[in-house]
Amino acid sequence: MKRFLPFICMLVMGLSPCMAQTNNAEDNPEEIPDEEIFYDYQLNQAGDQFIRISLAVAFPLNFDSFWQLFVSGQHQLSIGGTGTLGYHYFVTSKLAFGIDAGFGSAVTIGSNIFNYVPLVGTVTYQPYFGKFEIPITLGVGFAWETYSNYNYFPGLIVKPEVGLHYRLSPSWSLGGDISYTFMPQFGYHFDSTENYYGQFLNVAIAARYYF
């Protein structure tokens, strides 16, 4: 019995440093590996999704000649507006694919209304710095366009875009976007030899919901 008690004491003293080291690793957040800290604080990860809604003012850059608007002040459309609703999916922490649907409208110099409904597939590269996100997007798709009694479908639409957003929370961000929309109309669609090239500069406010 006398020999057994010293053995127990030595065993307890030998295990105490191991138990203390385990408890300290669990209680001290500084012991967490750097890789886990980086992973936990990434704003976006592969598999994340977001819904984007935006409202924009559309500045027409003239359907005939881009330079006429600035040189002579002539234009065919007045300032209009657009709205967009989109769904996007991150395939990596910075690269997302999605689709945007929207509506745009502008009044012509003859007091007619030019309407268009675009459907655009997008690819977005989005770096971030702290809570600031910088989405850079290229969209290509088609639009249904109407003017007076004329319909034009399908109309090609190309839309590069850049934005600056602030992440308010893990689920929401708010910011602004600037985009250029190119919408050509080819004459053979309406028995004409003349082509028209619609150009718009859009300035938008946008909100995103992440899930």
Side-chain angles (χ1 to χ4, degrees), residues 107-188:
V107 179
T108 70
I109 56 176
S111 298
N112 293 311
I113 298 177
F114 172 68
N115 295 318
Y116 52 100
V117 180
L119 185 65
V120 179
T122 66
V123 55
T124 299
Y125 175 71
Q126 181 172 284
Y128 50 87
F129 301 92
K131 292 187 177 182
F132 288 96
E133 303 170 324
I134 305 176
I136 303 169
T137 302
L138 176 63
V140 179
F142 60 89
W144 177 47
E145 305 168 25
T146 64
Y147 166 72
S148 187
N149 294 323
Y150 297 96
N151 293 318
Y152 185 84
F153 181 86
L156 174 66
I157 179 170
V158 180
K159 186 179 180 182
E161 183 176 68
V162 63
L164 179 63
H165 292 248
Y166 182 77
R167 198 67 167 263
L168 300 172
S169 71
S171 299
W172 287 97
S173 71
L174 182 67
D177 301 302
I178 297 177
S179 62
Y180 167 77
T181 301
F182 178 62
M183 299 173 60
Q185 291 183 351
F186 300 105
Y188 65 84

Side-chain angles (χ1 to χ4, degrees), residues 1-13:
M1 186 67 178
K2 294 180 179 180
R3 295 180 179 179
F4 183 72
L5 289 176
F7 175 77
I8 295 297
C9 293
M10 293 177 62
L11 182 62
V12 171
M13 293 175 64

Side-chain angles (χ1 to χ4, degrees), residues 52-59 79-85 102-106 116 159 161 175-181 200-207:
R52 174 182 178 272
I53 183 170
S54 69
L55 294 174
V57 178
F59 299 92
I79 295 174
T82 66
T84 303
L85 178 65
F103 177 81
S105 181
Y116 52 100
K159 186 179 180 182
E161 183 176 68
D177 301 302
I178 297 177
S179 62
Y180 167 77
T181 301
F200 296 88
L201 177 66
N202 310 297
V203 180
I205 56 172

